[in-house]
């Protein structure tokens, strides 16, 4: 049996870096609660909230979405603490290619966003509303026009389709795109993704089926995806995300090639690193993950700072020729930027500070 078969499959059973057990109670003066308006409605929100915190290695960003419980939030805190107290593994590359992010906007706005990004790959949000297929197709066609025939175009449905709807919708969107690179999480469950993959030629990428699942290896066992979308923040940091990517890849290689498979499985399931709408502080961890992967074949979804109308640093990460540089440490927040983005609602500030404490308690229950 290969290593993947011997190791635990569930995300909640993956070990955290043991050094996190040495992190002390966080000094309230080291926490800065932010609230940053978004430039476009995205993922149902117009305001991004979170906390940046500082430790001996730098800064971390704790920004689980409000609907997540304390156990889920514990992984997000682990990622922030890893950045602030431990640092990251060394990078294997200096730059990461990036895909533009196009929200569910009108076609001309979608075209303009794709052009302004300078990226050669774009991910377009679809299925934002019931009955949106015609508008989605118009948006996709506009982005194809912006990218030109050589560009790569992806769509993301956030699991909103059933299998039959996905088959029909992808047929329309693939035609509008002149060919899709892949469809990200078109259906909610692994079983649905596997069934859809048997009925469409459009490659399937798994996102929520990795980061919101207690058994991400199920995607590989079921042959449910062609691409893995990995976010280090909800997975508990760069080290844990690398572990998840390796184990899913190894399982996919064993399913397709027998015991042993391809080393690391990366040839079987390419990995796309994507952000979780973090500030530049949190995005640095996603870039560190993309930089540390053994192989990186596809553009990553880390161009999300364009969706934020502010940042906690003076100079946010900037795309250069459709790429971002891999940092060796998080950027340092700027005092003026922190003041400009500070949470103004005292009740929400208390809620976020209390949430850090609750998440830290939940995290400690999982540490040795």
């Amino acid at each position: 049996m290969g290593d993947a078969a011997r190791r635990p499959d569930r995300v909640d059973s993956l070990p955290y870096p043991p050094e996190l057990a040495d992190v002390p109670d966080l000094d309230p003066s080291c926490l800065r609660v932010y609230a940053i308006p978004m430039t476009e409605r995205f993922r149902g929100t117009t305001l991004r909230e979170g906390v940046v915190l500082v430790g001996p290695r730098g800064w971390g960003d704790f920004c689980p979405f409000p609907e997540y419980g304390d156990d889920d939030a514990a992984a997000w805190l682990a990622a922030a603490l890893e950045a602030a107290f431990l640092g990251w593994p060394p990078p294997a590359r200096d730059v990461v290619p990036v895909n533009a992010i196009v929200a569910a906007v009108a076609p001309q706005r979608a075209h303009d966003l794709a052009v302004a990004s300078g990226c050669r790959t774009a991910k377009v949000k679809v299925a934002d509303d019931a009955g949106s297929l015609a508008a989605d197709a118009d948006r996709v066609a506009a982005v194809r026009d912006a990218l030109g025939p050589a560009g790569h175009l992806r769509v993301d449905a956030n699991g909103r389709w059933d299998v039959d709807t996905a088959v029909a919708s992808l047929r329309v969107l693939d035609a509008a795109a002149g060919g899709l690179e892949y469809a990200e999480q078109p259906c909610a469950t692994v079983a649905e993704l596997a069934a859809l993959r048997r009925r469409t030629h459009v490659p399937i990428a798994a996102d929520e089926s990795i980061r919101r699942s207690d058994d991400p290896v199920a995607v590989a066992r079921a042959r449910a995806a062609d691409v893995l979308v990995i976010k280090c923040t909800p997975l508990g940091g760069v080290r844990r995300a690398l572990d998840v990517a390796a184990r899913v890849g190894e399982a996919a290689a064993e399913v397709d090639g027998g015991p042993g498979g391809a080393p690391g499985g990366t040839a079987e399931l390419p990995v796309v690193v994507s952000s979780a709408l973090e500030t530049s502080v949190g995005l640095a961890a996603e870039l560190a993950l993309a930089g540390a992967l053994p192989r990186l074949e596809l553009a990553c979804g880390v161009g999300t700072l364009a969706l934020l109308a502010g940042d906690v640093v003076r100079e946010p990460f900037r795309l250069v020729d459709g790429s971002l540089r891999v940092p060796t440490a998080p950027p340092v927040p700027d005092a003026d930027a922190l003041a400009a983005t500070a949470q103004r609602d005292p009740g929400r500030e208390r809620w976020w500070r209390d949430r850090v404490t609750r998440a830290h308690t939940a995290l400690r229950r999982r540490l040795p």
Side-chain angles (χ1 to χ4, degrees):
M1 297 177 69
D3 287 345
R6 290 196 298 267
R7 288 181 291 178
D9 290 334
R10 300 186 181 279
V11 169
D12 60 8
S13 69
L14 286 176
Y16 286 95
E19 297 88 347
L20 289 180
D22 299 327
V23 174
D25 290 336
L26 296 171
D27 185 340
S29 66
C30 295
L31 308 179
R32 298 289 186 274
V33 183
Y34 63 80
I36 302 175
M38 302 190 63
T39 58
E40 310 283 352
R41 184 178 180 83
F42 195 82
R43 210 184 165 278
T45 186
T46 58
L47 186 70
R48 194 68 177 106
E49 297 177 284
V51 179
V52 288
L53 55 90
V54 66
R57 297 296 297 271
W59 289 77
D61 188 355
F62 172 71
C63 56
F65 295 106
E67 67 269 22
Y68 289 3
D70 292 344
D71 286 338
D72 285 333
W76 295 65
L77 184 62
L81 296 179
E82 179 189 53
F85 287 82
L86 305 184
W88 302 310
R93 60 192 56 83
D94 297 325
V95 297
V96 172
V98 175
N99 69 244
I101 306 291
V102 179
V105 295
Q108 186 59 54
R109 175 64 175 158
H111 183 282
D112 293 346
L113 288 170
V115 170
S117 74
C119 298
R120 291 176 285 277
T121 301
K123 182 173 79 170
V124 181
K125 287 290 184 179
V126 296
D128 216 40
D129 298 300
S132 67
L133 181 58
D136 292 340
D138 289 344
R139 184 181 315 114
V140 166
V143 173
R144 169 55 70 198
D145 183 68
L147 294 176
H152 301 289
L153 205 158
R154 312 160 174 178
V155 294
D156 182 5
N158 288 115
R160 291 191 173 97
W161 291 324
D162 59 36
V163 175
D164 288 341
T165 302
V167 170
S169 298
L170 289 180
R171 187 179 302 119
V172 172
L173 297 176
D174 188 56
L180 289 170
E181 185 177 40
Y182 62 71
E184 182 173 324
Q185 200 69 41
C187 303
T189 70
V190 170
E192 288 174 316
L193 293 181
L196 172 62
R197 189 166 176 257
R198 293 190 293 268
R199 295 177 58 186
T200 181
H201 69 277
V202 176
I204 303 300
D207 176 11
E208 286 89 346
S209 290
I210 302 295
R211 64 182 170 87
R212 297 304 306 275
S213 172
D214 62 357
D215 185 9
V217 177
V219 167
R221 292 197 207 96
R223 292 187 172 94
D226 303 280
V227 177
L228 303 181
V229 178
I230 301 289
K231 295 176 170 70
C232 84
T233 306
L235 287 174
V238 174
R239 290 168 178 81
R240 273 183 117 229
L242 288 170
D243 196 359
V244 168
R247 291 193 309 110
V248 178
E250 288 165 6
E254 290 190 5
V255 166
D256 289 338
T266 53
E268 298 296 334
L269 286 177
V271 173
V272 169
V273 176
S274 185
S275 93
L277 291 180
E278 306 98 334
T279 66
S280 284
V281 170
L283 189 67
E286 305 289 4
L287 289 169
L289 169 60
L293 285 167
R295 293 179 62 178
L296 188 67
E297 304 164 13
L298 301 174
C300 289
V302 290
T304 50
L305 291 178
L307 295 169
L308 300 182
D311 207 334
V312 296
V313 301
R314 184 184 296 275
E315 296 183 3
F317 288 106
R318 300 294 183 192
L319 284 166
V320 177
D321 193 27
S323 297
L324 289 173
R325 292 198 65 81
V326 176
T328 56
V332 177
D334 172 72
D336 291 339
L338 286 172
T341 59
Q343 173 61 257
R344 307 299 181 192
D345 182 336
R348 289 299 289 174
E349 179 173 10
R350 286 192 300 272
W351 186 85
W352 274 100
R353 289 179 177 274
D354 290 344
R355 195 180 195 197
V356 170
T357 301
R358 297 196 311 271
H360 205 177
T361 298
L363 176 61
R364 281 173 166 160
R365 289 198 295 265
R366 304 184 187 184
L367 293 172

